[in-house]
Amino acid sequence: MKQLYGLLMVLLTINSVFGQFDNERKELIESEKKSASRSALDVNINPNTLNYDLQYVRLELDLDPTQQYVSGTVTSHFKMLQNSSDIYFDLANNLTVSNVKYHGQNLAFQQLNTDEIKINFPAALSAQTTDSLSITYSGVPDGSSDAFVADFTTAGDPVLATLSEPFGAKEWWPTKQSMNDKIEKLDIKITTPAEYTVGSNGKLMSETILGNGRKLTYWQTNYPIPAYLFALGISNYTKLNSTITTSNGSFPFLNYVYPGFATSSTQSTLNWTSTCMQNFEDHFGLYPYRNEKYGHMQFNWGGGMEHATMTSMGGFNQRLIAHELAHQWFGDKLTCGAWNDIWLNEGFATFGEHLTNETLLMTTSQFQTFLSNEIDFITSDPGGSVYIPDSDLNFNRIFNGRLSYGKGGYVLRMMKWVLGDNQFYALLNAYQNNPAFAYNYVKTTDFRDFATSFTGKNFTEFFNDWIFGEGYPIYQIRWTQNTNTKKLTFLVGQTTSSPTVAFYEMPLPIRVSGSGGQTAYFVLDHTSNNQYFTQDVGFDVTNVSFNYDRQILTKGSTVTKDNNLAVSDINQKSNNVYPNPAKSFIKISGLEKSTDYEIFSIDGKLIKNGIANPDSEINISAFVKGAYILKFNQQTIKIIKE
């Protein structure tokens, strides 16, 4: 995506490369904000385009990188999903349609001020009918949206580049932008002055000199693609082309760079892409577009944009290459089904950076510093959900570096901690290869349910807390050791930064060190507040470290040795809730006096409160089936209503 992820690394000072990368990402955030100023946010799905499936598109465009101008014909093949006498395409109303051809005849059409073209068929088409039409148009695309810009490089060379995410495709060609329909095949035929090179998606079929100083470049992609991932780059590029070879075979690697960037340094950085590709294939599965290519085409924006098979790049460094390459699996092959779910693109690509930093680019110490800075940025505000609710759906929120990118990526790191490396990467491999998702759209609930089915672990509450909920947990860990038995006792409390999450159930990573240099590791299965744990160790413990590899997002957590805490405390009279699960009533055992209680839904809403007596029951018969949080006497217990 427009490479905003780097905002997460503002505080990172390992070396000067990070500072340069931050500047690129800041430029892209400003670009996104500029897009927002042109019009209100478009909808995820245009209801006027629900009556057909767009299957094949042939674009025949005449373009010159010295001119902010587009002209040509776009032929669309579609299957009707409903009986209908008209069809709509998304197209900016400042572009002029000159005619619409249908079986050799001109069709009536109207260009609407809603950035649509409505086309009327001579007779109603029946559902399941496959048909086609051609739209000839021209005009000056609105450059303020950054979707289509003719500009100049710093060396003074002309360059025309497109960047349509999220709603810019209609600014320069008639299409269907709804996040429910990928185009199965594109033929891309671009006529330009002969001195220019055209980069685009798919496989380069031909470059033909036409005479009169003109050239026709023909690209074709046979992988399903959403409208916003189709792109062009046109300039006097230098081609640095080669082959990517991994343990799974070889395929073309095409790189179109500005002449001033055609250096041995750029070539060396580009060559590293093969190493990154191998790493991602080892962890995610085969590169999704092996039958066509991978590559980069340079443009004037900072950062990068993951156009399928050919990423657009402002410059070249390893961290940026890794982020955009990860998108080819997550964002391109699997595309978020609504902009509310953008973390399925950006969080996954951010996790691709985690993986690359950990395994290829950083020392262990550097990677821990990277994670620490990530946590600091993500927790710099106590609220905000990874999933974007409709009420908050706007450009700035979609491209929020702290939430869509940073926290989305860190949630995946926490899933890896919960599942273990082997099962986590097996999950990602199976997820992106699942026939229901591959080269299709996915939503957050799709990934949640697939993770649950594949691993056998119910991720509903995890997603409620970390994706739909806001904030993070703060842990208060107290510990002591019996000097005779060497048993450790832990008492773990938790508060949350946001009321939207009452309690985070998480396995807690603990490392203990001994006076003789010994080390031991434990996982505390933290399922309720103020929970006791015991662990056997055979040595005197001098230090307890929590979250030692920064496995969990948390801020302000404390670990304190408390000599007043004894193993026998676990056996003291304690409170319990029974029956649990329950259908009608629950009771708190062990109460010595009346106490106030509150019951919350999983998303933090207060459902019921009152006073519990030692011999009384709490009526939950009117509750909807599901999980709730009961709070009393500084305790938090999850209850299940059957």
Side-chain angles (χ1 to χ4, degrees):
M1 186 167 285
K2 294 185 177 181
Q3 175 52 292
L4 311 179
Y5 167 75
L7 286 181
L8 308 178
M9 300 173 67
V10 169
L11 302 177
L12 194 58
T13 57
I14 292 175
N15 59 49
S16 62
V17 173
F18 295 149
Q20 177 185 349
F21 202 33
D22 290 336
N23 290 334
E24 293 175 348
R25 291 151 177 166
K26 289 177 182 177
E27 291 172 5
L28 264 295
I29 278 207
E30 291 306 314
S31 173
E32 289 292 350
K33 290 178 179 177
K34 192 188 305 179
S35 298
S37 66
R38 182 177 183 273
S39 62
L41 183 73
D42 292 51
V43 294
N44 285 311
I45 295 177
N46 179 353
N48 291 331
T49 63
L50 289 174
N51 64 342
Y52 69 97
D53 172 25
L54 187 57
Q55 297 183 330
Y56 162 72
V57 172
R58 182 174 69 252
L59 298 103
E60 299 168 285
L61 304 181
D62 195 312
L63 301 171
D64 186 330
T66 66
Q67 299 179 29
Q68 181 73 16
Y69 188 79
V70 60
S71 67
T73 299
V74 174
T75 301
S76 299
H77 292 240
F78 48 85
K79 181 173 73 174
M80 300 304 298
L81 303 177
Q82 305 169 12
N83 298 338
S84 183
S85 58
D86 55 48
I87 190 170
Y88 287 75
F89 289 87
D90 298 307
L91 181 67
N93 57 26
N94 62 299
L95 301 178
T96 301
V97 175
S98 55
N99 68 71
V100 176
K101 288 287 187 182
Y102 175 74
H103 299 291
Q105 62 176 303
N106 291 327
L107 288 187
F109 63 88
Q110 300 89 44
Q111 284 194 256
L112 309 177
N113 60 11
T114 53
D115 286 344
E116 296 172 284
I117 175 173
K118 179 184 179 183
I119 300 168
N120 304 301
F121 295 115
L125 298 185
S126 302
Q128 304 307 310
T129 298
T130 300
D131 217 325
S132 66
L133 55 79
S134 298
I135 300 172
T136 299
Y137 71 107
S138 61
V140 179
D142 186 338
S144 68
S145 69
D146 287 338
F148 179 107
V149 176
D151 198 1
F152 293 90
T153 69
T154 55
D157 298 318
V159 56
L160 190 158
T162 68
L163 201 169
S164 295
E165 187 185 36
F167 304 113
K170 69 179 182 182
E171 301 294 337
W172 59 283
W173 64 290
T175 186
K176 178 179 178 180
Q177 294 194 148
S178 293
M179 303 292 283
N180 66 346
D181 189 2
K182 288 192 176 184
I183 306 165
E184 280 74 13
K185 177 179 180 178
L186 280 178
D187 276 326
I188 306 153
K189 299 185 176 184
I190 310 298
T191 300
T192 63
E195 63 266 33
Y196 299 116
T197 294
V198 179
S200 192
N201 312 85
K203 183 181 293 187
L204 181 60
M205 307 302 289
S206 62
E207 294 176 290
T208 306
I209 300 299
L210 301 175
N212 298 320
R214 310 291 286 172
K215 180 170 73 172
L216 174 64
T217 303
Y218 174 23
W219 291 89
Q220 181 184 90
T221 181
N222 287 280
Y223 289 99
I225 184 172
Y228 83 87
L229 286 176
F230 162 54
L232 298 171
I234 305 173
S235 189
N236 60 332
Y237 289 123
T238 297
K239 296 181 180 180
L240 301 179
N241 296 341
S242 59
T243 300
I244 284 182
T245 300
T246 71
S247 59
N248 299 299
S250 301
F251 50 91
F253 185 40
L254 309 186
N255 296 282
Y256 293 180
V257 306
Y258 298 154
F261 280 73
T263 64
S264 59
S265 175
T266 299
Q267 184 69 73
S268 176
T269 302
L270 290 170
N271 289 344
W272 176 83
T273 306
S274 287
T275 301
C276 191
M277 183 73 73
Q278 180 70 70
N279 194 34
F280 285 171
E281 288 202 336
D282 289 344
H283 291 88
F284 301 155
L286 291 180
Y287 170 63
Y289 303 99
R290 279 180 155 265
N291 291 338
E292 294 183 350
K293 71 164 187 312
Y294 187 58
H296 306 93
M297 53 185 172
Q298 202 161 0
F299 66 177
N300 279 356
W301 291 285
M305 174 63 204
E306 67 276 12
H307 297 126
T309 77
M310 200 167 200
T311 288
S312 297
M313 301 282 277
F316 302 95
N317 62 64
Q318 293 171 329
R319 206 159 286 105
L320 178 59
I321 287 173
H323 182 100
E324 302 304 337
L325 180 57
H327 268 308
Q328 301 297 310
W329 285 263
F330 306 108
D332 293 6
K333 181 181 181 181
L334 278 66
T335 306
C336 63
W339 295 109
N340 313 70
D341 304 283
I342 187 63
W343 82 279
L344 294 175
N345 293 14
E346 293 307 329
F348 275 77
T350 300
F351 179 78
E353 287 198 51
H354 283 227
L355 173 62
T356 304
N357 288 338
E358 184 175 19
T359 58
L360 298 179
L361 298 182
M362 292 182 177
T363 65
T364 299
S365 175
Q366 287 174 335
F367 184 60
Q368 288 299 310
T369 300
F370 164 79
L371 293 176
S372 179
N373 289 328
E374 297 276 278
I375 291 174
D376 287 345
F377 183 63
I378 296 165
T379 61
S380 63
D381 188 288
S385 60
V386 174
Y387 179 84
I388 305 172
D390 287 340
S391 60
D392 203 19
L393 193 62
N394 59 67
F395 278 82
N396 291 336
R397 182 63 176 82
I398 290 173
F399 301 109
N400 184 298
R402 186 176 70 87
L403 299 172
S404 299
Y405 293 68
K407 190 174 181 182
Y410 224 102
V411 166
L412 292 171
R413 175 170 175 79
M414 289 189 290
M415 287 185 71
K416 181 165 74 77
W417 160 245
V418 169
L419 293 172
D421 284 20
N422 290 341
Q423 190 175 33
F424 174 74
Y425 287 116
L427 166 64
L428 294 194
N429 199 308
Y431 166 59
Q432 60 90 24
N433 276 318
N434 185 279
F437 307 145
Y439 305 101
N440 208 335
Y441 294 101
V442 290
K443 295 191 174 183
T444 298
T445 51
D446 295 325
F447 178 53
R448 178 199 65 193
D449 295 346
F450 183 80
T452 294
S453 174
F454 183 82
T455 66
K457 178 178 177 61
N458 191 329
F459 274 96
T460 299
E461 185 167 343
F462 181 93
F463 273 62
N464 285 343
D465 292 347
W466 291 108
I467 300 296
F468 299 110
E470 302 182 26
Y472 51 86
I474 305 102
Y475 294 97
Q476 303 84 39
I477 300 174
R478 296 161 55 199
W479 69 277
T480 192
Q481 185 175 30
N482 186 301
T483 55
N484 296 319
T485 66
K486 307 303 181 187
K487 281 190 176 183
L488 284 172
T489 299
F490 297 92
L491 175 60
V492 183
Q494 180 193 122
T495 55
T496 63
S497 70
S498 168
T500 62
V501 179
F503 184 82
Y504 292 86
E505 289 189 0
M506 286 293 292
L508 306 184
I510 300 292
R511 179 178 62 201
V512 300
S513 305
S515 56
Q518 308 96 323
T519 303
Y521 297 86
F522 306 121
V523 177
L524 307 182
D525 187 17
H526 194 217
T527 59
S528 63
N529 212 353
N530 298 314
Q531 187 176 1
Y532 282 93
F533 302 88
T534 58
Q535 295 287 343
D536 290 319
V537 293
F539 55 85
D540 291 326
V541 173
T542 56
N543 184 64
V544 173
S545 176
F546 164 62
N547 209 27
Y548 50 88
D549 275 338
R550 295 168 174 84
Q551 297 96 327
I552 298 173
L553 268 177
T554 181
K555 178 182 181 180
S557 294
T558 58
V559 179
T560 307
K561 185 175 183 180
D562 185 352
N563 291 327
N564 294 321
L565 186 68
V567 175
S568 59
D569 290 344
I570 301 174
N571 299 318
Q572 68 184 357
K573 189 173 184 180
S574 61
N575 299 120
N576 188 25
V577 175
Y578 70 94
N580 192 12
K583 292 183 178 180
S584 301
F585 297 92
I586 57 173
K587 185 173 182 178
I588 303 173
S589 68
L591 288 180
E592 296 180 352
K593 61 181 181 178
S594 298
T595 185
D596 294 331
Y597 73 87
E598 296 175 313
I599 300 178
F600 296 86
S601 62
I602 289 297
D603 62 4
K605 295 178 181 177
L606 179 65
I607 304 298
K608 183 173 184 174
N609 60 4
I611 298 175
N613 298 309
D615 297 319
S616 67
E617 296 177 324
I618 300 173
N619 189 339
I620 62 169
S621 60
F623 287 18
V624 176
K625 291 182 179 180
Y628 296 85
I629 301 297
L630 170 65
K631 287 189 173 183
F632 66 96
N633 286 348
Q634 297 184 325
Q635 293 190 57
T636 301
I637 297 177
K638 185 172 78 171
I639 59 174
I640 304 296
K641 167 66 166 65
E642 290 184 324

